[in-house]
Amino acid sequence: MADDAKEAGAGRDTSNRIDDGVYFGWVIQGRNISLQLPAPVTSAMYGLPPTSPTFIGRDTHVEELLQGLAPCPRRQEPVLVASVAGLAGVGKTELVVQTATLALKKPGWFPGGALFVDMFGYDTERRLSPAQALHGLLQALGIPEKHIPAELQDRSRLYRSVLAEFARQKQRVLVVIDNVSSTEQVDPLLPADGTTAALLTSRHTLDVGARLHDLDILDEHASVELLRKALFEARGAADTRVTDALEDASTIARLCAGLPLGLRISAALLAEAPSRPLASLAQALSDVQHRLDALTRENRAVRAALDLSYRQLSESQARMFRLVALNPGPELSTATAAHVAAADEWHTEQLFLELHRAHLVEPGAVWGRWGLHDLVRVYAGERAAVHPTTQDDVRRLLLYYLERATRADEYIVYVSEPAPHGFPDRTQAIAWLDTERDSLFALGALAKSTGHNDIARDLPVALENYFSLHRYPEEWRASAELAVRAANVLGDQRGAARAGVSLSDALRALKAYGDAVAEARKAAEIFRGLGDQPGEGMALRALASALSDAGHDEEALRMSEQAVPLLQRGPSRHIAAVALMDYGSHLIEHEKYNEAIDVLRKSLEVLSQTSRSVKSLALLNLAAAQRGAGRRAEAISSCQECIACALEVGGPWETDNAARALILMGELFSEDEQLHQASLHFRQSADLFTKTGNDSYAVKALKALGDTLINLEERGEEDGDLGSTSAAQEGHYEQAADAIAEAIALTRRAAESTPDEAGPELANLLMRRCIPLVHLGRRDEAQTAARDALATLNRLAERDPHAHQTGLALAWHQLAWVLSQDSAQLPAAVEASTKADEIASALARNDPAEHGEVLQASVEFTATLLGELAQQSVYEIARATMAHEEEKLSPSTLEHETGLRPSQIAAGMAWLDTYYRSWGRSRRPGAAAGSDDGPPG
């Protein structure tokens, strides 16, 4: 049986007594061992690196690590080793040193102190072997050099025995092992006594039975605070550059992507040049090609830190790392990487998992997709640029995306074709396009910049239906412009013309109608010169649409009519049917409704077989033609068929078609005085437009809903319910106010980016909302809405004084109406109405035909208000004048005597003058005050 260990005395060596044991050199094998500890070497047991005063943003991680280090005698399943893993430069060492320092200050936690060793696991020149590390740790534990075994296994046994004895003697030790590159490097250093605790860091997620902690980058707020604190530590409180330029500090934080190493280097660069503004460093970092060069100072560099990780990779891992950087989007799928690498998906996924364990790639939003930290992406791009197979990899990547996009496009509109291929169904095809959207948007530029002009030419054409139907006009325009340039580089006139048609459609979606017309004309001329009739028909169809949107309806109709036979000679009956449908819509614009009905029915014969998506639009156009022709029942039937067809397909573009059909049905029911049915359809339409994010049409539906609900109340008043305040009426007004409020919220959002376009609509909606608010008795809200409308129009008028005068007249008129609902505010209402009169008078002088009615309505309303104001004032004026029978009273005296406003006195006096003239009196009111037949008292 082992003797009890004697207490360690000062200067005493370690001694062991072995019973029934055998020595093999320094290897000890025996049953019963007594270990006497040496005198502790205090400095070595407290050899943690100093902590940084700028440590920030890691409170949660520190708390979690401390919980694992706390002594717990009743611990059921101790997990006394914590492994912190993360990207190079993310602050792993600082986290564990900060945590260890706090733990050492906890009474009774680690009275034996702490051991620290940097394994330099990613530096091939300085990397410690486990044996070397154990040698240093044993020395720190006070083991004399002559007693340290030579072999790794013996050193590990002695080390663990010493730690266990420390723990037994209530001198628990904390072991901190930094920069471990592999399980093999750290396994012999881990305590095994169940009491001693250890913290380790690695760029890899290691399988060592530890509690795993993944350390991520800092958020923007913490990043900016780190910069501020670092400059404060270096330069003192006088350095206020961060607080003085928070926007520039945020830019630096974003460009460093929250990586503490990059942020500390940035702070050091700023500290060494106290006159350097943050904007200068932000500009330097904004250059992607030189960002890693900028993040270098003395012996610290982000690139150098990443080099150490990169050198640990196998050849296949390094290639996969570079492939992720070649992809222009934020993420790369396992399937795409496997295709480019000419490998199966299982092995490709294993490579990604290995890179993830090394914290060089990050899992994407969904499993099977992988991304890179921004600075790591820059570094990986540098590695990819110098690799000899880069060009081949790029072309395989581009061809893969082109092939997949072309196959997905077959599902966008040709959803009725029996044999599209490449995807199981339309849902998955569109899901792929949505998932790869960012990569697809950027691929054209990558193809052009790497010399693959054929792909830069073809890819945008494969994506134009997706761009169009899913509303990405800016990306569409950019890719189409790039396709035109790529085709010209190749000397491909037909390709340039085809891309020009796509560019015209994209410009039209952006409302750049003049440029759209020019591009379509150019494409038509090229196709005509090549003798390509279907191509010319395609260009003329785009030209007709652009001309129509630009307001050139006559030429648009001619171009559309010419496009139809040219496309009918081509190979695609679907495209010919689309052109026929477009021709039908142009006929509707010219009110040739019956002719349009015939044309649209012919297009539907084909579209019913080729595309349910486009069929829904043809049905919508047919309903519009039938409405114009007075065939209302047929129009409702076509709307219903459109809605069913569109919602069955279910895409955002098709859902918009269904919502537009619902608006049309609402209008039809409104015209038939079926207002309740109309309101239901407008509500459904608004909900669908909101679902697809089509704010402008959602506003249209909500405005129609509000008007319809208001009309329901007005119709009730005409039926003899004037003045009714029933719950049903209040409910309609409440719903109307809410619907218009929804429209206002959407329009405000649009007005932030396009005030000149959305501002007038916003003002109109604000004025419209006043109506239900007044009827609900919410006069303060109504006044606020009216004044908001006026302020909106005034802001617009400051930029263009002549463009918004009619709106200003109406806004003053609406404010006057709202104010007039409160008798105490009649004078203010008269002032507002008078301003409306002034603006309307100026407009009528310039254009009597257009603005005469506005002026007449405004003047009549002002007269009405003056009459009401006079009625309020007459009694007080009459009483005052009778009290001063023979004295002529001035307006100021009347104001003093009556307490009325000047406007009220003027209105009352005018009314009294009119009254006395009507009785043939010539005296002023004061002289007739005592007459029996004067104004009633």
Side-chain angles (χ1 to χ4, degrees):
M1 176 171 283
D3 294 337
D4 292 338
K6 298 179 180 178
E7 293 185 1
R12 188 179 301 174
D13 291 341
T14 301
S15 62
N16 300 282
R17 189 180 73 221
I18 311 299
D19 296 332
D20 302 325
V22 182
Y23 288 89
F24 294 93
W26 278 103
V27 178
I28 305 173
Q29 290 188 348
R31 254 188 346 214
N32 304 312
I33 303 175
S34 295
L35 179 66
Q36 183 171 311
L37 296 179
V41 183
T42 304
S43 60
M45 295 298 288
Y46 288 86
L48 292 174
T51 58
S52 169
T54 61
F55 183 69
I56 191 170
R58 304 301 196 189
D59 292 349
T60 301
H61 290 283
V62 170
E63 184 62 29
E64 290 176 353
L65 290 172
L66 284 174
Q67 288 176 6
L69 297 178
C72 182
R74 296 185 179 86
R75 193 185 302 269
Q76 296 297 316
E77 295 181 6
V79 183
L80 295 170
V81 179
S83 176
V84 178
L87 174 65
V90 81
K92 302 179 294 296
T93 299
E94 185 64 38
L95 172 63
V96 298
V97 169
Q98 292 275 355
T99 303
T101 300
L102 288 173
L104 289 179
K105 294 177 181 178
K106 301 280 187 180
W109 278 33
F110 294 103
L115 295 171
F116 179 88
V117 60
D118 187 343
M119 302 298 291
F120 299 104
Y122 297 89
D123 187 336
T124 54
E125 295 180 358
R126 296 193 293 170
R127 181 184 299 143
L128 293 183
S129 67
Q132 290 172 311
L134 284 168
H135 184 276
L137 291 171
L138 287 168
Q139 285 183 320
L141 285 166
I143 305 299
E145 177 71 28
K146 63 182 179 180
H147 294 318
I148 296 177
E151 298 298 326
L152 170 63
Q153 189 176 43
D154 299 330
R155 289 182 179 182
S156 180
R157 286 175 176 171
L158 178 59
Y159 162 77
R160 285 171 173 162
S161 297
V162 172
L163 288 178
E165 186 62 23
F166 266 85
R168 196 183 74 80
Q169 296 189 24
K170 303 188 184 306
Q171 294 295 308
R172 186 173 181 239
V173 173
L174 174 61
V175 181
V176 181
I177 310 170
D178 193 27
N179 271 319
V180 178
S181 62
S182 66
T183 301
E184 292 75 18
Q185 192 184 25
V186 74
D187 261 343
L189 279 64
L190 296 178
D193 54 74
T195 301
T196 304
L199 293 174
L200 63 93
T201 73
S202 177
R203 299 181 188 184
H204 285 74
T205 301
L206 301 177
D207 182 14
V208 291
R211 178 68 50 81
L212 303 177
H213 295 263
D214 290 320
L215 192 59
D216 205 349
I217 58 175
L218 296 174
D219 62 28
E220 187 172 313
H221 173 76
S223 298
V224 171
E225 184 62 12
L226 189 154
L227 287 172
R228 188 196 67 78
K229 292 181 71 173
L231 286 181
F232 176 84
E233 289 296 324
R235 290 288 176 178
D239 195 328
T240 60
R241 281 178 288 175
V242 171
T243 53
D244 292 343
L246 283 175
E247 187 173 343
D248 292 326
S250 295
T251 300
I252 293 171
R254 287 192 296 271
L255 292 172
C256 290
L259 189 70
L261 175 60
L263 292 164
R264 293 184 189 281
I265 293 173
S266 297
L269 293 170
L270 291 167
E272 71 184 9
S275 63
R276 183 179 189 180
L278 269 66
S280 168
L281 180 59
Q283 183 177 5
L285 294 176
S286 64
D287 185 347
V288 176
Q289 291 184 340
H290 298 100
R291 186 173 302 165
L292 296 183
D293 294 324
L295 289 174
T296 302
R297 186 178 181 274
E298 295 181 351
N299 62 340
R300 288 189 295 174
V302 173
R303 181 186 285 110
L306 294 173
D307 274 337
L308 295 177
S309 292
Y310 185 72
R311 291 170 190 162
Q312 304 299 311
L313 301 179
S314 67
E315 183 177 346
S316 57
Q317 290 170 342
R319 184 183 180 212
M320 192 58 64
F321 177 63
R322 296 190 300 270
L323 281 181
V324 183
L326 288 180
N327 189 62
E331 296 177 354
L332 180 69
S333 72
T334 303
T336 304
H339 180 88
V340 177
D344 63 73
E345 289 194 28
W346 187 88
H347 284 97
T348 301
E349 183 174 76
Q350 298 310 303
L351 288 173
F352 276 126
L353 289 171
E354 291 163 6
L355 290 170
H356 175 48
R357 281 193 287 272
H359 288 83
L360 286 173
V361 303
E362 304 167 349
V366 297
W367 185 250
R369 301 186 63 77
W370 309 90
L372 296 170
H373 178 276
D374 288 352
L375 292 179
V376 177
R377 177 176 291 279
V378 175
Y379 176 82
E382 290 181 354
R383 297 298 91 208
V386 300
H387 198 273
T389 62
T390 294
Q391 281 299 317
D392 292 338
D393 289 339
V394 170
R395 184 151 187 91
R396 279 193 296 271
L397 180 74
L398 292 169
L399 285 173
Y400 175 78
Y401 275 118
L402 175 60
E403 178 189 9
R404 296 291 284 170
T406 301
R407 291 180 175 181
D409 180 63
E410 297 175 8
Y411 289 85
I412 296 291
V413 291
Y414 295 95
V415 296
S416 298
E417 288 288 344
H421 56 286
F423 295 91
D425 53 40
R426 184 175 191 264
T427 299
Q428 294 193 42
I430 293 179
W432 181 84
L433 288 167
D434 287 339
T435 302
E436 299 291 358
R437 180 179 59 219
D438 292 333
S439 294
L440 292 168
F441 288 169
L443 278 169
L446 174 63
K448 186 74 172 62
S449 65
T450 53
H452 302 285
N453 287 293
D454 54 336
I455 298 175
R457 173 199 62 199
D458 296 341
L459 184 62
V461 174
L463 292 170
E464 64 180 342
N465 284 322
Y466 179 71
F467 286 143
S468 172
L469 301 188
H470 291 250
R471 293 196 295 273
Y472 298 112
E474 288 288 355
E475 292 80 1
W476 186 6
R477 176 195 56 77
S479 65
E481 287 177 340
L482 194 145
V484 171
R485 293 196 297 271
N488 287 330
V489 169
L490 294 169
D492 179 7
Q493 285 187 291
R494 182 175 278 102
R498 178 64 186 86
V501 172
S502 185
L503 177 57
S504 174
D505 287 336
L507 290 167
R508 183 168 62 87
L510 289 166
K511 300 182 180 180
Y513 302 128
D515 292 338
V517 168
E519 290 295 336
R521 287 194 195 281
K522 188 191 303 182
E525 291 172 4
I526 295 174
F527 279 125
R528 192 177 301 118
L530 295 171
D532 186 338
Q533 290 187 340
E536 183 184 356
M538 186 184 305
L540 291 177
R541 172 180 168 262
L543 176 59
S545 297
L547 287 166
S548 177
D549 287 346
H552 305 299
D553 293 337
E554 292 293 338
E555 188 180 4
L557 181 63
R558 291 198 307 274
M559 294 301 100
S560 182
E561 187 176 14
Q562 292 175 26
V564 171
L566 293 173
L567 284 166
Q568 286 174 337
R569 294 170 196 150
S572 173
R573 63 190 188 117
H574 172 79
I575 295 296
V578 171
L580 200 59
M581 177 190 68
D582 286 352
Y583 179 48
S585 68
H586 293 301
L587 289 169
I588 293 172
E589 292 171 2
H590 286 77
E591 299 183 1
K592 299 181 179 181
Y593 299 118
N594 289 318
E595 189 177 348
I597 290 170
D598 293 339
V599 167
L600 289 165
R601 289 198 184 281
K602 289 179 182 177
S603 73
L604 279 164
E605 291 175 4
V606 177
L607 294 174
S608 296
Q609 301 174 35
T610 62
S611 172
R612 293 195 301 277
S613 293
V614 186
K615 177 186 176 183
S616 68
L617 179 57
L619 286 165
L620 179 61
N621 289 339
L622 177 60
Q626 290 164 334
R627 177 194 187 186
R631 294 152 69 167
R632 306 173 73 80
E634 293 179 36
I636 289 175
S637 177
S638 294
C639 282
Q640 291 170 336
E641 188 178 356
C642 166
I643 293 166
C645 179
L647 294 182
E648 181 185 358
V649 177
W653 183 75
E654 296 85 0
T655 302
D656 272 3
N657 288 340
R660 290 167 64 192
L662 283 164
I663 285 185
L664 182 52
M665 288 184 71
E667 292 170 349
L668 288 166
F669 281 116
S670 292
E671 292 167 3
D672 289 340
E673 295 298 317
Q674 299 182 52
L675 299 183
H676 181 69
Q677 287 293 325
S679 67
L680 294 177
H681 286 89
F682 288 137
R683 178 74 264 177
Q684 293 172 21
S685 174
D687 290 343
L688 289 181
F689 281 129
T690 302
K691 177 182 176 181
T692 63
N694 192 338
D695 288 353
S696 61
Y697 267 91
V699 168
K700 179 180 179 180
L702 289 165
K703 184 165 63 173
L705 173 61
D707 288 346
T708 304
L709 291 166
I710 292 170
N711 288 339
L712 274 170
E713 300 311 313
E714 293 177 351
R715 187 177 70 171
E717 292 177 356
E718 292 172 2
D719 289 341
D721 294 332
L722 185 62
S724 170
T725 57
S726 68
Q729 283 186 306
E730 291 181 359
H732 286 143
Y733 278 133
E734 193 75 46
Q735 292 173 43
D738 291 345
I740 300 172
E742 286 184 60
I744 288 170
L746 293 174
T747 309
R748 280 193 196 279
R749 191 163 62 192
E752 291 175 2
S753 55
T754 56
D756 291 332
E757 183 177 339
E761 177 66 15
L762 175 60
N764 179 273
L765 288 166
L766 287 163
M767 288 187 276
R768 194 178 297 255
R769 190 165 186 257
C770 293
I771 299 171
L773 289 175
V774 165
H775 284 286
L776 289 166
R778 293 153 62 179
R779 291 172 183 167
D780 289 345
E781 290 182 61
Q783 287 186 35
T784 300
R787 295 186 188 282
D788 195 358
L790 194 58
T792 300
L793 289 166
N794 276 324
R795 285 193 296 270
L796 294 172
E798 288 175 2
R799 292 196 292 269
D800 189 352
H802 303 292
H804 303 284
Q805 294 305 304
T806 302
L808 281 169
L810 293 173
W812 279 114
H813 178 83
Q814 188 74 341
L815 177 60
W817 175 75
V818 172
L819 291 169
S820 72
Q821 306 305 306
D822 182 354
S823 59
Q825 299 203 58
L826 273 176
V830 171
E831 292 175 12
S833 190
T834 302
K835 290 183 179 180
D837 291 349
E838 293 171 358
I839 298 172
S841 295
L843 290 169
R845 281 195 298 270
N846 294 327
D847 191 345
E850 182 176 353
H851 301 292
E853 291 185 6
V854 175
L855 175 60
Q856 180 179 352
S858 182
V859 170
E860 288 177 355
F861 185 64
T862 303
T864 301
L865 292 178
L866 285 169
E868 294 179 12
L869 188 62
Q871 291 176 26
Q872 287 186 354
S873 308
V874 164
Y875 177 78
E876 296 295 335
I877 293 172
R879 187 174 65 176
T881 54
M882 283 189 291
H884 301 270
E885 185 172 344
E886 298 300 329
E887 183 180 348
K888 183 178 180 180
L889 299 181
S890 67
S892 60
T893 302
L894 283 172
E895 186 177 351
H896 175 73
E897 291 280 341
T898 63
L900 298 173
R901 296 182 185 179
S903 58
Q904 291 172 291
I905 293 171
M909 294 294 289
W911 188 90
L912 286 169
D913 280 341
T914 303
Y915 177 83
Y916 276 98
R917 283 197 299 273
S918 70
W919 281 82
R921 305 292 179 91
S922 59
R923 292 186 300 157
R924 295 188 58 77
S931 174
D932 291 339
D933 55 357

